[in-house]
Amino acid sequence: MKIEKVKITNFKCYEGTFTLALNDGLNVIVGANESGKTTILEAIHLALTGLLHGRPLKNDLTSYLFNLVAQNKYVQSLGTASPLPPPAITIELFFSGSSNELAELEGDGNSERAKRSGVVYKIEFDEENYKGPYEELVKAGELTSIPVEYYTTTMRSFARKGVTARNIPIKSALIDSSSTRLQNGSDVYVSRIIRDVLEEKERASISQAHRKLKEAFVANPNLKLINERITQAAKISQKAVSISVDLSSQTAWESSLMTYIDLIPFQYIGKGEQCVIKTKLALSAKKNAEATAVLLEEPENHLSHTRLNELIADLTEKHGQKQIIISTHSSFVANKLGLDHLIVLRSGEVARISELEASDFFKKLAGYDTLRLALAAKAILVEGDSDELVVQRAYMDANGGRLPIQDGIDVISVGTAFLRFLELADALKIPVAVVTDNDGDTTVVEKKYAAFKDSSTVRICFDPVVDTGTLMIKDKPYNYNTLEPKLLKANDRATLNAILGTSATTDDELRIHMRANKTESALAIFNSKTAVTYPDYIQKAIAP
Amino acid sequence: MIGENKIVIAAAGSGKTTYLVEEAVKIKGERVLITTYTESNEAEIRQKFFELVGHVPANVVIMTWFSFLITHGVKPFQGSLFEFPVSGMVLVSAQSGLKFKTRQGQPVFWAENEIDKHYFDPVRRVYSDKLPKLAIRCNEKSGGAVMDRISRIFPHVLVDEVQDLAGYDLDILAALARSSVRLLMVGDPRQVTYLTHHERRYQKYADGGIVDFLRNELPKKVPVDIDETTLNRSHRNSAVICTVSSRLFPILPASQACDCVRCRTGSAAWNGAFILRTADYAHYLATVRPMQLRDKITSLGVDQRWPAMNFGESKGRGFDHVVILPTEPMRLWLSDHATNLKPQSRAKFYVALTRGRHSVAIAMDWGTSPLPTGFSLYERAS
């Protein structure tokens, strides 16, 4: 039993419907801050348990749960001739697997009308109970947000039957190490996870032991004496006043028992250790009729490098049959867990490295640059180090000395792998400029990048003019169409001599020098006090 | 793979529900559905579990036939027929979905393709008489997904009072029989007292024809084991009562009184089958204290000082002594077994006769002709 697909509609940052297919084993969701990584984990947990931040959401509905764009569209439509119905948040989980436990959740009550097994969590207007009050509210014309007081939450199977977390054979263990919310009392998550690890019999016996303990406390003669005294002392009424333990709650042992680690209460141990223990507990659950989805939020927080390494080793080696969904913005974590599990998220767009044509390439590439591209607001792709330096300097000159990265623009040297990076950029709709040499034949370049000719996000920048000359390097004609000769063409020998600290007497001499000292020359230009003039195609690449 | 299918024909008082619950308890680890037509019988099944094992096992689900059809027959795959949520079911006692009446007073009904009007009332409750039909349509439209799902959820389906099923209900039974589900049905074709279906479908099997239905309408490759012996002994009725009640259904094997020591010890001082003069009625009630059984609440002759019950209502119950207030056709049949007794009346009469453990009396003034076989005239002890 696995979660095969998640569909999220109108929840938090997801306007409209966002669909994410999941792998059976590891899923590593990477994305910049605010890209919606955590929202996905929250949504999955919510649909499996009805809980958000450890509490039943139905008691904590706010309009902030709704996508802001959806809310605005709705509010603005109210005064018009065609008002929109109150928006609903929908989270659908499609399950995979042939186990009979899933048959009960099977039906076509899903957005695809497909015969599938799964659950739908909805936060929607309670039409049955609040039709009248809502009409009045709309008539009064004072609605400025979604009227969540008239909303209700439902959790249904695809068979259109109300379900609870108990009926869903996939259990969710959300491990949220960045959270500081749960400081008091026993940690809800850890007791939940422990409860889920236990078999029904074991749970019953704990609950029995807890009940006996409470009864023994109540039966203690000292308590009786004290209660008699209280009754005499407190002349509140004619009725007896007494103290006792709370016998009412059905599952009291979970909330009143404390988890200890080496005799230290769980919430007093370090956050990092908490995360590791919760993860290990969740990974250790072994039940036949149930599956566990481990949801791990940013495990890199609070963990030392070694602890993180241990945790990752656990995740990769011991996850067994469990499905793990991790959100991270650590390239280290992403890299260690393997790029083939990587799901890159960016303003609602999803790319999986394993599905790109260039996936082999990215798997071999250490992954760091891949993530740089995925996380950048914009990127400029260049061929090598010298191009990178010159483009950076050009950007600084044009933008008051600010480095491109300070504006969220990452300049990445990709060698000859332009097309592979463009595939990723295109999938994620990342605005990208490519700075490339024309290598003496513009038709070849045009053909190579033909797919991006009319792209709104990809800008291909090269010099449309093919320069020629007679210079020969060791019997081979000199390439007049790379960065260095183009720089010389845009400036003059004297300017470059001054910046590079050379005293070349001919242009060819300077060409040979710069060809042999590419990086040094670029570094000199990058560090120079005076600016050079940049070829047009570089200006085009750094233009906003 | 076709699962095992079996129908057990049970005599009144033979312990149908006990048998079914015992069968359910034997099944370990696999899910079991027990379903029956009426809510009172559903409650009785639940009660029986508590009596026999102290709890309803976790793998057993008990639900009425209607809630089974809504939850597992319609809702999971309604998507191919209609979108709106089903808000429940409404019990109807005549053909549902009336469109209008002609000037001559002829009713015209909504056609089947007007799904929301043919199957549903204005607040989207499905009509009870159309519910099994809707489930069948959902199954057809979804390419058999409905039955496929049910057979994976419940490897065992146990149906109590199966004789109550009619019309499209029988199609559902047939589909279950063809599936991998192990289908165990228990019922008494003599006790069809609920006239709940007005569909013309399978009209010929409506009155206790369940066995014929299974014999005639299922393909040859779908075998159904018909068991007429396991539950043919009544633990309730005395031998005399078995004999006189069995005459109502001469083509079926007569039921036998059990010879369990437990059932037959401490037999009452008063037993037998009697014809009771109306003049002796009050006296009989005061001395024998029987339960009065009547056709309906308006039936004449009931002594309001003593408890009384309708025939239909008494189904499944047992009393030491009963007195029956017969309807006119019942009276006619008693004097001549060849007279026509409508199936429904015949079933009710059978139910009434088989309620008594020790004695059954029929309140009517007999006249001079010989008493029906097995009966004697009640004479007040002087």
Side-chain angles (χ1 to χ4, degrees):
Chain A
M1 280 174 276
K2 294 285 149 62
I3 304 169
E4 191 188 298
K5 185 159 61 176
V6 192
K7 285 183 134 185
I8 303 172
T9 308
N10 287 343
F11 186 53
K12 295 200 170 175
C13 59
Y14 293 105
E15 188 202 347
T17 300
F18 167 78
T19 306
L20 178 67
L22 294 168
N23 310 320
D24 277 359
L26 265 178
N27 291 274
V28 185
I29 304 176
V30 295
N33 288 328
E34 303 295 304
S35 60
K37 299 188 298 291
T38 305
T39 306
I40 294 176
L41 297 191
E42 281 176 349
I44 295 173
H45 191 64
L46 181 59
L48 289 175
T49 64
L51 302 174
L52 184 68
H53 305 154
R55 295 156 53 131
L57 179 65
K58 63 177 175 200
N59 307 328
D60 286 331
L61 287 181
T62 79
S63 60
Y64 301 111
L65 296 170
F66 288 81
N67 180 264
L68 204 62
V69 180
Q71 167 159 301
N72 287 342
K73 269 189 196 161
Y74 161 71
V75 170
Q76 278 158 19
S77 79
L78 288 179
T80 66
S82 50
L84 292 170
I89 290 174
T90 309
I91 302 164
E92 281 183 295
L93 300 183
F94 290 73
F95 299 148
S96 65
S98 56
S99 133
N100 278 352
E101 275 76 23
L102 288 176
E104 183 112 33
L105 306 175
E106 193 177 284
D108 62 10
N110 53 64
S111 57
E112 299 176 4
R113 287 283 167 268
K115 181 194 172 187
R116 296 295 307 273
S117 176
V119 290
V120 193
Y121 187 89
K122 268 195 172 191
I123 304 169
E124 60 187 345
F125 174 58
D126 185 352
E127 188 163 318
E128 203 181 321
N129 292 312
Y130 294 113
K131 217 173 171 177
Y134 176 75
E135 267 180 40
E136 292 301 317
L137 202 64
V138 172
K139 251 187 234 162
E142 278 159 12
L143 265 183
T144 53
S145 64
I146 293 171
V148 286
E149 62 272 34
Y150 300 145
Y151 270 59
T152 180
T153 63
T154 57
M155 214 163 146
R156 285 178 200 284
S157 68
F158 285 178
R160 299 180 176 82
K161 186 173 182 291
V163 290
T164 63
R166 254 192 91 84
N167 312 130
I168 305 175
I170 298 182
K171 302 297 170 197
S172 154
L174 177 70
I175 297 153
D176 170 10
S177 58
S178 64
S179 162
T180 49
R181 294 166 199 127
L182 298 154
Q183 297 244 321
N184 56 331
S186 161
D187 185 304
V188 180
Y189 291 136
V190 79
S191 55
R192 245 186 62 88
I193 292 167
I194 289 179
R195 190 190 62 195
D196 287 346
V197 169
L198 298 178
E199 294 284 349
E200 197 83 47
K201 257 190 198 154
E202 297 167 319
R203 278 186 227 170
S205 62
I206 293 191
S207 146
Q208 205 54 38
H210 186 243
R211 190 195 311 270
K212 277 187 188 149
L213 180 77
K214 288 199 289 189
E215 284 166 0
F217 179 79
V218 174
N220 189 300
N222 288 323
L223 188 74
K224 231 174 172 180
L225 285 176
I226 290 169
N227 277 337
E228 279 166 20
R229 271 198 52 201
I230 296 174
T231 306
Q232 283 169 7
K235 293 206 161 41
I236 303 171
S237 72
Q238 301 292 346
K239 290 174 181 158
V241 179
S242 64
I243 56 167
S244 182
V245 282
D246 180 7
L247 293 166
S248 55
S249 174
Q250 290 177 329
T251 51
W253 67 269
E254 290 159 41
S255 50
S256 58
L257 295 190
M258 177 75 76
T259 314
Y260 290 87
I261 306 296
D262 278 350
L263 299 177
I264 300 169
F266 189 79
Q267 79 263 32
Y268 290 114
I269 64 167
K271 275 273 177 319
E273 192 65 24
Q274 287 186 13
C275 168
V276 172
I277 289 170
K278 283 189 220 170
T279 312
K280 286 195 172 181
L281 273 173
L283 289 178
S284 73
K286 276 192 208 93
K287 285 202 254 180
N288 291 334
E290 288 175 356
T292 311
V294 181
L295 310 175
L296 197 54
E297 190 184 345
E298 295 174 9
E300 64 269 22
N301 295 340
H302 307 288
L303 284 183
S304 70
H305 192 70
T306 29
R307 284 309 258 155
L308 187 58
N309 261 315
E310 273 175 48
L311 183 73
I312 288 171
D314 276 353
L315 287 175
T316 44
E317 287 152 25
K318 296 191 188 148
H319 71 82
Q321 296 301 307
K322 293 192 173 57
Q323 191 172 29
I324 300 177
I325 304 163
I326 299 173
S327 77
T328 183
H329 35 53
S330 154
S331 53
F332 174 75
V333 173
N335 225 352
K336 277 278 189 175
L337 290 175
L339 282 168
D340 40 342
H341 305 122
L342 208 63
I343 297 168
V344 186
L345 200 67
R346 192 191 159 88
S347 48
E349 298 291 333
V350 177
R352 277 156 202 286
I353 300 298
S354 55
E355 281 171 13
L356 295 179
E357 272 179 44
S359 86
D360 279 350
F361 168 78
F362 284 114
K363 277 183 208 164
K364 279 169 197 142
L365 190 74
Y368 181 62
D369 287 336
T370 325
L371 281 181
R372 270 175 67 190
L373 174 62
L375 301 180
K378 283 183 182 177
I380 301 174
L381 304 181
V382 298
E383 198 176 313
D385 297 343
S386 53
D387 307 79
E388 188 179 329
L389 286 165
V390 172
V391 167
Q392 296 229 31
R393 175 64 195 250
Y395 186 89
M396 289 166 75
D397 289 347
N399 291 283
R402 277 198 321 284
L403 280 163
I405 196 72
Q406 288 173 300
D407 292 337
I409 301 171
D410 210 344
V411 182
I412 305 168
S413 53
V414 298
T416 52
F418 282 111
L419 286 178
R420 293 170 177 140
F421 275 86
L422 282 178
E423 190 190 354
L424 180 64
D426 200 41
L428 290 171
K429 305 213 165 38
I430 306 168
V432 172
V434 169
V435 176
T436 181
D437 300 334
N438 70 24
D439 285 330
D441 190 347
T442 54
T443 55
V444 172
V445 184
E446 270 161 15
K447 205 174 152 196
K448 181 175 174 186
Y449 296 106
F452 305 100
K453 194 164 168 267
D454 300 313
S455 166
S456 57
T457 52
V458 178
R459 199 189 300 169
I460 308 292
C461 310
F462 60 91
D463 194 341
V465 182
V466 174
D467 293 318
T468 49
T470 53
L471 180 62
M472 300 290 284
I473 308 283
K474 286 185 199 157
D475 309 335
K476 281 186 183 157
Y478 173 76
N479 184 350
Y480 283 87
N481 293 292
T482 64
L483 176 69
E484 292 78 18
K486 295 286 180 190
L487 273 172
L488 178 59
K489 189 178 155 194
N491 296 276
D492 54 36
R493 193 164 68 232
T495 318
L496 287 186
N497 264 336
I499 288 169
L500 301 178
T502 47
S503 44
T505 48
T506 63
D507 282 0
D508 276 353
E509 202 183 324
L510 196 58
R511 283 186 187 113
I512 291 166
H513 170 83
M514 284 169 78
R515 186 182 173 280
N517 303 281
K518 280 188 173 181
T519 315
E520 289 75 10
S521 306
L523 209 53
I525 292 169
F526 184 78
N527 288 325
S528 161
K529 287 200 175 66
T530 54
V532 294
T533 308
Y534 301 98
D536 282 349
Y537 70 100
I538 287 180
Q539 299 279 15
K540 190 179 150 202
I542 61 164
Chain B
M1 188 205 73
I2 295 167
E4 182 194 338
N5 301 308
K6 182 168 168 177
I7 181 165
V8 181
I9 301 303
S14 61
K16 280 195 294 288
T17 310
T18 307
Y19 169 78
L20 213 58
V21 168
E22 280 170 348
E23 285 296 306
V25 170
K26 282 183 202 162
I27 302 161
K28 306 282 182 213
E30 291 186 312
R31 299 243 288 163
V32 183
L33 170 75
I34 306 187
T35 179
T36 187
Y37 212 78
T38 61
E39 277 175 18
S40 64
N41 197 42
E42 185 216 2
E44 203 194 314
I45 293 169
R46 207 175 291 278
Q47 180 63 34
K48 193 59 86 178
F49 268 106
F50 283 97
E51 277 170 31
L52 293 180
V53 291
H55 65 279
V56 178
N59 61 325
V60 173
V61 175
I62 309 167
M63 63 205 307
T64 63
W65 182 249
F66 284 141
S67 48
F68 165 65
L69 290 180
I70 286 204
T71 315
H72 296 292
V74 175
K75 284 186 174 182
F77 292 101
Q78 65 174 63
S80 44
L81 279 172
F82 62 97
E83 293 283 332
F84 54 82
V86 179
S87 60
M89 185 197 72
V90 56
L91 265 172
V92 291
S93 55
Q95 187 176 345
S96 59
L98 181 72
K99 193 175 183 181
F100 60 86
K101 277 192 175 167
T102 61
R103 238 172 287 161
Q104 290 77 34
Q106 284 296 312
V108 175
F109 294 93
W110 288 102
E112 192 180 330
N113 55 3
E114 300 270 359
I115 285 171
D116 58 330
K117 301 206 174 62
H118 180 77
Y119 293 102
F120 295 92
D121 77 352
V123 290
R124 303 259 157 93
R125 291 180 303 180
V126 59
Y127 295 122
S128 59
D129 62 333
K130 304 267 179 61
L131 181 52
K133 182 177 171 187
L134 185 57
I136 284 290
R137 293 288 178 262
C138 286
N139 188 47
E140 287 166 0
K141 281 276 181 184
S142 63
V146 173
M147 297 311 300
D148 173 55
R149 175 178 177 276
I150 290 170
S151 60
R152 280 182 290 129
I153 301 177
F154 300 113
H156 304 267
V157 174
L158 278 51
V159 186
D160 197 6
E161 306 283 6
V162 70
Q163 78 279 356
D164 287 336
L165 304 187
Y168 279 94
D169 289 334
L170 298 178
D171 289 292
I172 305 235
L173 274 190
L176 285 170
R178 279 193 296 266
S179 75
S180 63
V181 164
R182 173 191 160 218
L183 179 62
L184 174 61
M185 299 162 278
V186 179
D188 183 353
R190 290 162 284 220
Q191 297 192 53
V192 187
T193 53
Y194 283 92
L195 189 67
T196 33
H197 288 272
H198 315 280
E199 286 280 354
R200 282 182 294 275
R201 190 169 179 78
Y202 296 136
Q203 187 68 50
K204 58 180 169 171
Y205 302 119
D207 297 299
I210 179 75
V211 171
D212 289 337
F213 170 80
L214 296 171
R215 272 202 193 107
N216 303 345
E217 305 289 336
L218 288 179
K220 281 245 159 30
K221 62 179 170 74
V222 181
V224 179
D225 177 11
I226 296 162
D227 177 347
E228 293 179 311
T229 54
T230 304
L231 293 176
N232 76 337
R233 299 174 94 77
S234 175
H235 296 281
R236 180 191 301 137
N237 308 130
S238 65
V240 176
I241 296 174
C242 286
T243 312
V244 298
S245 60
S246 293
R247 289 212 187 95
L248 280 161
F249 296 93
I251 56 159
L252 290 175
S255 65
Q256 308 292 320
C258 75
D259 47 15
C260 315
V261 177
R262 194 166 60 94
C263 301
R264 301 301 167 195
T265 43
S267 112
W270 186 251
N271 53 65
F274 303 95
I275 299 292
L276 175 65
R277 293 185 199 97
T278 44
D280 294 332
Y281 194 75
H283 176 262
Y284 188 82
L285 254 56
T287 50
V288 180
R289 307 275 177 94
M291 169 60 78
Q292 307 175 81
L293 297 177
R294 64 188 172 204
D295 182 39
K296 46 184 178 265
I297 206 147
T298 52
S299 302
L300 296 174
V302 174
D303 187 331
Q304 300 297 346
R305 292 170 296 177
W306 301 98
M309 205 178 248
N310 293 352
F311 297 144
E313 196 187 350
S314 72
K315 194 157 122 182
R317 305 284 304 267
F319 308 97
D320 282 352
H321 309 284
V322 297
V323 60
I324 298 168
L325 295 156
T327 59
E328 180 64 20
M330 290 176 190
R331 279 197 287 268
L332 292 173
W333 180 85
L334 271 178
S335 36
D336 178 5
H337 290 358
T339 58
N340 182 32
L341 188 59
K342 279 189 187 148
Q344 178 110 54
S345 302
R346 194 176 287 266
K348 281 182 176 174
F349 200 22
Y350 178 80
V351 167
L353 283 170
T354 53
R355 295 312 93 194
R357 291 190 190 95
H358 307 300
S359 81
V360 52
I362 295 168
M364 64 186 286
D365 292 313
W366 189 258
T368 53
S369 55
L371 289 171
T373 324
F375 283 87
S376 49
L377 191 68
Y378 173 73
E379 297 287 0
R380 212 191 281 209
S382 49

